[in-house]
Amino acid sequence: MDSIKGLIDLAASPPVAFTLSIVVFFTLFRSRWPWTRGGGLTMLGVGVAGLVFGLSDDELRRRVAEPDNLPIVGLVFVVGFFVWLAMSKAWANDEATERGDPTLEESERDDRVLTWPDLVFVELIAAILLTVALVVWSLLVPAPLEGPANPALAPNPSKAPWYFVGLQELLVYFDPWLAGVVIPGLIVFGLLAIPYMDRNPRGNGYYTFRERRPEILLFLFGFLVLWCQLIVVGTFVRGPNWSFYGPFESWEPARVAGTATISLSEALWVRLLGVGLPGSWLLRELPGLLVVGLWFVGLPVLALRSPWLREQRERLGRVRFHTVVFLVAVMGLLPLKMYARWLFHLQDIVHLPELLLSL
Amino acid sequence: MSWIDRLRRRVTRSQPWRAIFRVGVPTDDRKRALAVLGNVVLHLHPIKVKRSGIRLSYTWCMGGTAFFLFLVLTVTGILLMFYYRPTVEHAYADIVDLREVAAFGVLRELHRWGAHAMVIAVWLHMFRVFMTGSYKPPREFNWNVGVVLLVLTLLLSFTGYLLPWDQLAIWAVTVGSNMASATPFLGHEGPGSELLSLGGTPLIHVGSDARFALIGGRTIAGGTLNRFYVLHCLAIPFIAAWLIAVHFWRVRKDGGISGPM
């Protein structure tokens, strides 16, 4: 039993868990089986078995049962279920299209029903069921309330409300101006821009995967791997000093914060060339600025060698295409900086305390 | 004819009854259409909807769930306001009293769990809309309204998080609002903020930056509590309610929840 727990603790460490989640993500979305009834039930079984096994451990049960952590356990199962539902409907429709049949939604396109009574009564029943569920939940679980506010006594760890914990987790890898301001801003901007960037006329009003594969994979990678997963990581495996603690590891004694990190300029000028940091900040940070420049400019240039992407540029036009590429590059910066940190202890690609700017 | 039928007849044919319910019991399609048309709430719906629009496995009922939870939160929130005073002196004690003393001791539970559920419902609603391509023309603008509503939902939840004035509240909001001090140019720890100065005097400092504007002071204190209370109970719900109305109206004007016009 303890060896299994040790193995899970190992797999839950951010580098392993993140790599695993990427592998699992692409494995699942490449195959048909997970989105069949058998696949769905198997995944549900694994999830429930994991939960039951986890709850058998005192340490983890305490963490899961913290009232404000409950929504996240719920989130995992609810999001999992709806991803499965959407994908299984998409596959069913795609197979119908392949056979030459209309999709479920298209077959009833001209079938309209009266709002009263068909819709209004569905709404009424849904409202009643929701009320019952919410009242039962409220009677069973008291809302969390800790001691009165004390500005002099900071709890360790201090955590943001659960829906912002993913952004707080990003603080490990990014400076606050990026993790707390620019990245959330770009997420909102990216979401707003979706209908103007996606010019694919297909998949309007019915579930499909085959006709919109890149869009769906990009959206779900962001939603599942980068947003939901980081919330789970920040909630369940981050303890005092925001250090990593396996799900079955005790928070006592508390670990010291992080490992020593290094900036790119120091790694290059001091460690590699042994010449010491140049006096001018521009020269000092030039390599880092070049790396960032290459990522945002060189990557699109390199990408355009692919005929498929050239075709996309023709289809979308330059403004749309380069907005998409920029947003994808920002999204890609997340795993890039995570792996740089894990593999080389590299924290800042550009380190400019002169301008309070680090990246 | 039994006396019950006679009584019902009398009531439903009386002038006050017919003044309120113009159509009567909708027994045919014409009256069913009129029932929706004549009601200010129901007329947010069209007369007829696509069959997929009422199919639970298609819509997941998530937009409706989010809206319903918004209504639950409005009602429980107003009831909570009868008890709760947003001052450092009273806030925490009022929250304790809500559980220990007030009738219907689950009001705060309904409000807090409902809020968590609403955040998840809004995410899933967005996910469903994405997966059915319902943001595609002619619904681009309504997707934008939805994204703003998503942000407002998170802000509502965030501002409400502070109100119990317990350790959980104050420190979660500390973590969240500290981010504002890193805003480029406008936060005192943000890149470029030192560039904004007037004759050597910095314009952006801890007493004037984005974080200061958000929490109404240099630290989280009584001023923050009052500010978040007003944002939570008045300002954000007002904007959200208005945008929800726009959101529903556009669903109708854009030809239903999804599919080409």
Side-chain angles (χ1 to χ4, degrees):
Chain A
M1 205 60 131
D2 281 345
S3 60
I4 299 178
K5 288 182 181 175
L7 204 66
I8 294 178
D9 282 342
L10 198 70
S13 78
V16 183
F18 191 75
T19 311
L20 272 177
S21 73
I22 293 179
V23 173
V24 168
F25 178 83
F26 285 103
T27 314
L28 286 182
F29 283 93
R30 280 175 75 98
S31 24
R32 171 72 177 100
W33 180 76
W35 318 110
T36 59
R37 193 157 293 202
L41 286 173
T42 307
M43 288 194 287
L44 178 69
V46 171
V48 170
L51 185 68
V52 170
F53 180 72
L55 288 179
S56 70
D57 181 87
D58 291 339
E59 182 69 28
L60 188 61
R61 187 170 57 236
R62 215 173 15 254
R63 238 175 278 170
V64 169
E66 264 178 52
D68 260 11
N69 289 351
L70 278 180
I72 302 158
V73 180
L75 178 83
V76 171
F77 283 91
V78 170
V79 166
F81 170 73
F82 282 110
V83 169
W84 177 83
L85 181 63
M87 286 304 294
S88 67
K89 288 179 78 72
W91 273 101
N93 276 346
D94 288 345
E95 282 162 2
T97 313
E98 212 160 311
R99 286 194 306 269
D101 296 335
T103 63
L104 174 66
E105 293 83 4
E106 274 172 341
S107 67
E108 54 190 27
R109 167 156 294 168
D110 298 320
D111 187 6
R112 287 175 191 255
V113 293
L114 278 164
T115 296
W116 183 295
D118 296 279
L119 176 58
V120 173
F121 278 79
V122 172
E123 289 171 342
L124 179 70
I125 294 165
I128 292 171
L129 292 180
L130 273 169
T131 309
V132 172
L134 193 59
V135 168
V136 169
W137 184 4
S138 299
L139 287 172
L140 289 179
V141 192
L145 189 67
E146 295 184 355
N150 181 355
L153 185 71
N156 188 6
S158 295
K159 290 196 179 181
W162 62 267
Y163 35 83
F164 289 152
V165 162
L167 296 171
Q168 194 179 3
E169 170 68 11
L170 278 187
L171 280 172
V172 176
Y173 312 98
F174 289 92
D175 255 33
W177 71 279
L178 279 168
V181 185
V182 172
I183 290 175
L186 284 176
I187 293 172
V188 173
F189 170 76
L191 288 173
L192 286 171
I194 284 176
Y196 310 101
M197 297 188 299
D198 174 8
R199 301 296 290 163
N200 181 357
R202 299 209 280 181
N204 185 350
Y206 55 97
Y207 289 96
T208 174
F209 183 48
R210 215 184 43 179
E211 296 174 17
R212 309 172 56 209
R213 201 179 282 257
E215 300 97 296
I216 288 176
L217 284 179
L218 200 58
F219 183 88
L220 281 181
F221 186 79
F223 182 46
L224 299 178
V225 179
L226 296 178
W227 184 257
C228 291
Q229 194 213 194
L230 288 184
I231 289 176
V232 173
V233 167
T235 307
F236 292 118
V237 301
R238 291 293 184 183
N241 307 320
W242 209 257
S243 300
F244 165 73
Y245 297 80
F248 301 106
E249 277 180 302
S250 164
W251 283 6
E252 282 161 6
R255 289 182 186 162
V256 289
T259 42
T261 55
I262 189 171
S263 65
L264 183 67
S265 46
E266 204 191 331
L268 186 75
W269 298 110
V270 180
R271 297 271 176 89
L272 198 66
L273 300 177
V275 293
L277 289 174
S280 143
W281 63 259
L282 186 63
L283 182 62
R284 188 189 74 212
E285 298 303 328
L286 198 60
L289 291 169
L290 276 176
V291 169
V292 177
L294 267 179
W295 181 255
F296 283 102
V297 180
L299 201 67
V301 173
L302 200 70
L304 280 175
R305 295 171 70 95
S306 138
W308 182 75
L309 282 173
R310 273 206 302 277
E311 190 191 312
Q312 300 305 312
R313 188 181 61 177
E314 294 310 310
R315 203 166 59 82
L316 295 177
R318 272 161 206 277
V319 175
R320 283 197 187 95
F321 179 79
H322 285 288
T323 311
V324 178
V325 169
F326 170 73
L327 290 170
V328 172
V330 173
M331 216 162 148
L333 211 55
L334 270 63
L336 189 77
K337 279 209 72 179
M338 289 174 168
Y339 281 111
R341 169 67 182 268
W342 295 326
L343 296 176
F344 311 113
H345 301 296
L346 186 71
Q347 179 71 354
D348 295 326
I349 302 173
V350 176
H351 181 67
L352 269 176
E354 290 89 342
L355 296 176
L356 299 173
L357 185 136
S358 292
L359 185 136
Chain B
M1 193 182 286
S2 72
W3 66 272
I4 296 183
D5 283 334
R6 275 204 303 278
L7 184 66
R8 198 178 64 197
R9 235 166 194 221
R10 259 193 113 99
V11 171
T12 54
R13 286 186 179 180
S14 67
Q15 192 178 358
W17 182 273
R18 282 185 296 147
I20 302 170
F21 304 105
R22 289 267 179 234
V23 188
V25 180
T27 44
D28 55 46
D29 282 2
R30 185 179 155 276
K31 284 187 174 175
R32 288 182 187 126
L34 286 174
V36 173
L37 264 181
N39 183 299
V40 66
V41 178
L42 293 183
H43 103 288
L44 281 169
H45 302 104
I47 304 294
K48 284 185 167 186
V49 290
K50 286 177 193 155
R51 183 165 290 281
S52 55
I54 63 162
R55 191 184 284 285
L56 202 60
S57 67
Y58 181 80
T59 66
W60 312 346
C61 199
M62 273 306 153
T65 299
F67 177 60
F68 178 73
L69 288 168
F70 180 79
L71 295 180
V72 169
L73 292 167
T74 307
V75 173
T76 53
I78 290 171
L79 292 174
L80 286 169
M81 285 169 79
F82 286 139
Y83 293 92
Y84 171 83
R85 287 163 289 179
T87 62
V88 172
E89 190 189 355
H90 294 296
Y92 184 77
D94 286 351
I95 294 289
V96 174
D97 282 355
L98 269 164
R99 178 180 299 165
E100 308 288 336
V101 185
F104 305 111
V106 293
L107 265 184
R108 195 169 85 83
E109 275 71 18
L110 288 173
H111 198 74
R112 194 180 187 101
W113 299 137
H116 287 334
M118 182 174 162
V119 170
I120 297 175
V122 169
W123 291 0
L124 288 173
H125 173 56
M126 183 174 78
F127 175 51
R128 194 281 296 166
V129 170
F130 181 86
M131 289 303 285
T132 55
S134 306
Y135 57 81
K136 299 191 176 200
R139 298 184 186 79
E140 303 99 311
F141 175 69
N142 216 13
W143 168 271
N144 292 162
V145 174
V147 172
V148 176
L149 280 169
L150 163 77
V151 174
L152 290 180
T153 305
L154 293 177
L155 288 179
L156 271 172
S157 190
F158 182 67
T159 49
Y161 218 88
L162 182 67
L163 303 185
W165 203 245
D166 63 342
Q167 280 289 75
L168 196 62
I170 180 180
W171 289 103
V173 170
T174 303
V175 170
S177 58
N178 273 349
M179 294 298 103
S181 60
T183 313
F185 298 107
L186 296 179
H188 75 277
E189 287 168 347
S193 61
E194 287 174 352
L195 302 175
L196 296 179
S197 63
L198 209 60
T201 316
L203 287 177
I204 303 295
H205 52 79
V206 69
S208 75
D209 70 345
R211 178 173 175 276
F212 186 88
L214 177 67
I215 67 173
R218 285 159 197 262
T219 55
I220 292 189
T224 319
L225 189 54
N226 191 60
R227 186 163 293 210
F228 274 39
Y229 179 73
V230 174
L231 283 171
H232 184 76
C233 302
L234 214 63
I236 306 177
F238 181 79
I239 303 169
W242 182 68
L243 283 179
I244 288 170
V246 174
H247 201 54
F248 289 175
W249 185 244
R250 286 299 288 243
V251 169
R252 212 192 131 164
K253 292 286 122 181
D254 294 340
I257 59 164
S258 64
M261 280 283 254

